[in-house]
Amino acid sequence: LGFVRSPKSPVLQTLAEIAREVAGPRAGKLTGGSFFSDAGPLAKGVPQVVVFGPGDIGKAHTPDEFMDVAQLEAGTEIVRRLLLAL
């Protein structure tokens, strides 16, 4: 199941702002994707579902999947700040 969120969604705006603060301007760029996640089915009943994760999506779910420790730390800080903001 796919889903779409408005770029004006308060949760997306907050997440993007925090990502920019923590990891720089490119980190706060809102993009779409055509891959499966649990967010699709969840979005049917939860209006503020978003997909976020550290690292490079191009390296995700590949035989040599990895991310730098700095990316993991930045992702952790972004999620921490988002939870505090909510």
Side-chain angles (χ1 to χ4, degrees), residues 21-79:
E21 289 172 4
V22 172
R26 290 187 62 214
K29 182 180 178 191
L30 301 175
T31 61
S34 58
F35 47 83
F36 178 82
S37 78
D38 292 331
L42 288 172
K44 290 179 73 175
V46 181
Q48 294 300 318
V49 172
V50 298
V51 176
F52 167 80
D56 177 353
I57 192 65
K59 294 181 174 100
H61 313 295
T62 63
D64 59 346
E65 177 177 12
F66 74 95
M67 77 173 72
D68 296 328
V69 172
Q71 291 174 317
L72 179 59
E73 290 170 341
T76 301
E77 179 63 12
I78 291 165
V79 171

